[in-house]
Amino acid sequence: MIFTGQYEHSIDAKNRIAIPADIRARWSTEHDGEAWQALPWKQGVIRLYTERDFAQAADRGRLTLTPDEDEAEIDATIFGLSERLPMDSAGRIRIPEGHLELAGLNKEVVIIGARDRLELRDRAEWNSQRNDRLAQLQAFMKRNAQRSADASAG
């Protein structure tokens, strides 16, 4: 599933947030899984992947019993902090308190569609940065294209 758009939401007193109705309408438990996989990513961001996409991304990694130190730390952090979040009958997921604390998110958030994932971000911060993000988009794209070219050449 490709995720687009932005949705202003509030996290309730039980740390639940509703997955937007149009996303739930396209959701298929057979294809997407029965839950979301949550990962606090950085200050102000929690990433939500479908169960299927998270598993596919994890399977792309090299399976070894002797990863190098950096790879072992990345795996321990990503998989140690990830948590499976099943949706309830109302289409809500419960965000773990620890995830909210690590990301520094309050109750007023925006759900951002980010291609292969959703991201929870602070609503006020997202709204205040929208114009700057659009102004910087071409520079981001040029840097990304250069990194891809460097990786292909190397």
Side-chain angles (χ1 to χ4, degrees):
M1 184 180 316
I2 296 187
F3 299 104
T4 61
Q6 55 188 349
Y7 311 84
E8 292 189 356
H9 277 269
S10 297
I11 297 171
D12 72 15
K14 295 181 180 179
N15 291 346
R16 296 175 304 192
I17 189 165
I19 299 300
D22 63 323
I23 292 172
R24 289 193 324 266
R26 294 183 291 134
W27 184 273
S28 161
T29 55
E30 183 177 314
H31 182 265
D32 300 307
E34 296 180 1
W36 291 87
Q37 197 72 31
L39 175 64
W41 188 248
K42 63 180 183 176
Q43 187 64 27
V45 180
I46 294 174
R47 289 183 170 175
L48 298 173
Y49 294 91
T50 66
E51 192 170 39
R52 176 182 173 263
D53 287 345
F54 186 83
Q56 284 181 339
D59 287 344
R60 278 182 263 187
R62 182 173 49 109
L63 180 60
T64 178
L65 296 177
T66 57
D68 68 31
E69 187 174 336
D70 287 344
E71 186 177 6
E73 288 303 318
I74 289 168
D75 287 350
T77 302
I78 287 176
F79 295 102
L81 293 176
S82 296
E83 201 159 324
R84 185 177 185 270
L85 309 176
M87 279 192 290
D88 67 13
S89 61
R92 299 171 300 193
I93 57 174
R94 189 189 151 287
I95 306 298
E97 184 69 33
H99 282 41
L100 293 170
E101 289 173 5
L102 283 169
L105 289 176
N106 62 34
K107 302 295 184 176
E108 301 301 314
V109 297
V110 61
I111 300 173
I112 306 297
R115 188 191 326 195
D116 63 341
R117 65 188 179 277
L118 296 175
E119 291 188 354
L120 300 182
R121 293 180 178 239
D122 179 83
R123 185 189 306 175
E125 186 174 333
W126 173 262
N127 288 334
S128 72
Q129 295 175 348
R130 284 182 354 164
N131 290 340
D132 291 339
R133 285 178 164 282
L134 184 59
Q136 295 173 4
L137 183 58
Q138 288 189 7
F140 290 146
M141 292 174 76
K142 283 181 183 178
R143 282 198 308 266
N144 190 49
Q146 185 60 52
R147 277 194 302 275
S148 294
D150 291 347
S152 295

